[in-house]
Amino acid sequence: MTMQTKVIKITDPAESATDLKEAARILREGGLVVFPTETVYGLGGNGLSQSSAEKIYAAKGRPSNNPLIIHVHDPAEADKYAHAGDLYDRLAAAFMPGPLTVILPKRECIPYATTGGLDTVAVRCPDHPIAQALLKECGDFPVAAPSANLSGKPSPTVAEHVITDLSGRVDMIIDGGESDIGLESTIVSIDHDHEGEYLTLLRPGAITADALTCVCERVVIASAVLEQLKEGERPLSPGMMYKHYAPSTPLVLLDGTPEDVLAFLQKEQADRSCAILCYFEEMPHLKHENLFPVGGKDDLATQAHTLFSLLREADKAGASIMYAHLPPLDGLGLALYNRMIRAAAHTILQVP
């Protein structure tokens, strides 16, 4: 797959109306456009077109049973493509536009190629001025978009990552600068049982489980957030595959006291070539060779913002192994844990 990829830089959507009209035309005619969002960059195609969905899967090298998210300009547009309801409306009022994706029963206009063969569709309204302007320009169709990386690689948070992965595979890349959040959106499904309606958290993100309980009292965390999918189990949302967001260098997550982990890292640096995603506080105690500081130990927002970019940078070091801390399981830490456990293919080392 090789095509001419046009790269355009947009800082102010109001000053780039012509470029955005061209991007919308490409999407309308079945082409692929990469655009920035507040989470990560998205690889967009016409969400109503089976052939566009197939092009997205081909460009990424992504399994076709891994569902895509459709992006809309206004949360109310969800009802044109899915069967929404009161709980969706309350979630939208609280968190949209923003980094939340809600899985809903799809309407017939959404092809199964977009949903990975499921009867549900994932809907999101991004909070990014360029994404908003592009979606408004598209008007009569939603934009289906997974993250704009080759399948399995760390998601892109700057246009340079996209160009590395997808140049020659897409029609246009919109460079809108660095993503604010750095992790993909929170994904929930609206479910029912004998006790009533509740939310299932399928992929954690910047909108935490605690925040969701402010809208819906019952929030159940899906087992696939922390564990591997069972054999033959289909992913109900993006980001549920066993190995995902992964660098080429084997990544190992370290679990132990701060003192034990630091001692382990010091010994590893003395014994072998390794890349380390470390906390700022550890830097004075480690050799600076192949050291990639993710942020302060308790600064989870900075760790989330830098994670995917640093996985890519550390991958270039040529080390034989990469180490990082196992994140906590509360708040934003759950989202970091979810991404890192997949980046490491569930490889955790208990130290000492």
Side-chain angles (χ1 to χ4, degrees):
M1 175 185 290
T2 304
M3 63 178 73
Q4 283 291 109
T5 299
K6 183 176 183 179
V7 179
I8 60 172
K9 188 172 182 64
I10 296 179
T11 53
D12 183 354
E15 297 176 356
S16 302
T18 301
D19 287 330
L20 289 168
K21 286 181 185 298
E22 182 185 0
R25 177 191 59 78
I26 291 169
L27 291 166
R28 185 173 284 106
E29 295 176 358
L32 302 181
V33 174
V34 173
F35 61 99
T37 79
E38 76 278 26
T39 56
V40 298
Y41 274 71
L43 167 55
N46 187 333
L48 302 183
S49 166
Q50 175 175 324
S51 63
S52 291
E54 290 168 351
K55 287 180 182 179
I56 290 172
Y57 290 121
K60 282 179 63 77
R62 177 187 178 107
S64 60
N65 68 340
N66 198 354
L68 305 177
I69 295 171
I70 64 167
H71 294 66
V72 295
H73 171 254
D74 187 292
E77 294 175 17
D79 204 48
K80 294 195 292 187
Y81 311 115
H83 299 278
D86 176 65
L87 182 48
Y88 169 82
D89 290 341
R90 287 187 280 128
L91 288 167
F95 301 117
M96 296 183 189
L100 178 67
T101 296
V102 183
I103 294 180
L104 301 165
K106 81 176 190 71
R107 294 193 185 273
E108 287 187 10
C109 60
I110 300 294
Y112 281 107
T114 298
T115 68
L118 299 173
D119 290 320
T120 54
V121 62
V123 181
R124 163 159 141 74
C125 178
D127 184 19
H128 190 285
I130 296 172
Q132 277 282 309
L134 176 60
L135 292 166
K136 186 175 183 180
E137 198 65 49
C138 291
D140 56 349
F141 63 93
V143 175
S147 55
N149 54 295
L150 290 174
S151 186
K153 295 299 181 183
S155 297
T157 56
V158 293
E160 288 80 3
H161 300 163
V162 180
I163 293 167
T164 297
D165 282 10
L166 297 181
S167 182
R169 291 171 171 258
V170 299
D171 298 282
M172 178 184 282
I173 296 170
I174 299 174
D175 180 352
E178 190 173 9
S179 299
D180 289 336
I181 295 173
L183 296 182
E184 303 88 346
S185 61
T186 300
I187 300 180
V188 297
S189 62
I190 298 174
D191 297 304
H192 306 77
D193 63 10
H194 65 281
E195 295 181 33
E197 204 167 42
Y198 65 97
L199 294 177
T200 301
L201 179 61
L202 297 169
R203 184 177 73 184
I207 296 173
T208 64
D210 285 345
L212 291 167
T213 60
C214 296
V215 175
C216 180
E217 189 172 325
R218 288 179 65 202
V219 177
V220 175
I221 297 175
S223 60
V225 167
L226 303 177
E227 302 167 10
Q228 301 175 29
L229 288 176
K230 299 179 178 63
E231 187 174 350
E233 185 179 0
R234 296 183 66 179
L236 299 177
S237 80
M240 296 181 74
M241 306 300 277
Y242 161 72
K243 188 175 182 181
H244 207 49
Y245 323 107
S248 299
T249 307
L251 172 64
V252 176
L253 302 181
L254 303 177
D255 187 17
T257 67
E259 296 77 16
D260 287 338
V261 169
L262 180 59
F264 174 86
L265 292 174
Q266 290 170 331
K267 184 176 187 305
E268 285 295 289
Q269 281 193 316
D271 292 347
R272 66 194 299 188
S273 168
C274 58
I276 299 172
L277 274 61
C278 70
Y279 298 140
F280 286 158
E281 294 89 338
E282 295 171 316
M283 292 180 67
H285 310 289
L286 293 167
K287 296 180 192 175
H288 282 205
E289 182 181 1
N290 294 341
L291 208 58
F292 301 89
V294 298
K297 179 180 180 297
D298 298 318
D299 186 357
L300 299 180
T302 297
Q303 292 174 39
H305 179 74
T306 61
L307 174 63
F308 288 143
S309 181
L310 289 181
L311 284 175
R312 286 177 177 260
E313 287 302 309
D315 217 10
K316 298 175 185 176
S320 60
I321 196 166
M322 190 185 305
Y323 292 114
H325 289 270
L326 185 70
L329 289 174
D330 56 331
L332 188 56
L334 182 64
L336 279 162
Y337 185 103
N338 171 263
R339 303 316 192 275
M340 294 181 75
I341 199 73
R342 283 163 170 74
H346 292 260
T347 305
I348 301 173
L349 178 64
Q350 183 72 44
V351 292

